[in-house]
Amino acid sequence: MVLALLGSSAALGLWLGIQYLRRVRSKPLLIGLHLILGGASMEGTVMLRGTLADGGGSLAGVVSAVTLGNAVAVLLFTAMLSGLLTPLIAQHAPRKITSVALATHAAVGALGFLLFIAWAL
């Protein structure tokens, strides 16, 4: 379920990014949906951290699962925070700085998504 939420958020973010590059204004509803999907998947990731860590097995396996889960949670939180701060930056900054902020948001989010797949599967 979390993978579906995170994948949907990533796909919608990719679509919004393409629209930004085409200089087409994104609909606020789609931006809000991207935010909700990202927040729900981040919440699910935090809940999964405890579930996957209790899976038993060796101590080293549990420690590595918790460490990877923490890294995923930090990356998704950073992506969400950078996504929320980008519109504030964009109000007073040229398009070049806004593009860098959005690229950072996309890169951190993509890394978090890929790391989530490696961790959960």
Side-chain angles (χ1 to χ4, degrees), residues 1 25 30 34 46 56 62 80-81 101 104 106 108:
M1 181 66 175
R25 185 155 170 80
L30 293 178
H34 178 61
V46 170
V62 170
M80 189 163 209
L81 187 63
T104 303
V108 171

Side-chain angles (χ1 to χ4, degrees), residues 47-58 61-63 65-67 119:
M47 290 190 308
L48 273 178
R49 281 179 51 237
T51 305
L52 293 179
D54 294 339
S58 69
V62 170
V63 169
V66 169
T67 304
W119 172 58

Side-chain angles (χ1 to χ4, degrees), residues 30-78:
L30 293 178
I31 296 170
L33 182 60
H34 178 61
L35 175 66
I36 290 169
L37 288 171
S41 61
M42 192 174 83
E43 181 179 349
T45 300
V46 170
M47 290 190 308
L48 273 178
R49 281 179 51 237
T51 305
L52 293 179
D54 294 339
S58 69
L59 180 61
V62 170
V63 169
S64 69
V66 169
T67 304
L68 194 55
N70 287 343
V72 169
V74 166
L75 284 171
L76 293 180
F77 176 76
T78 304

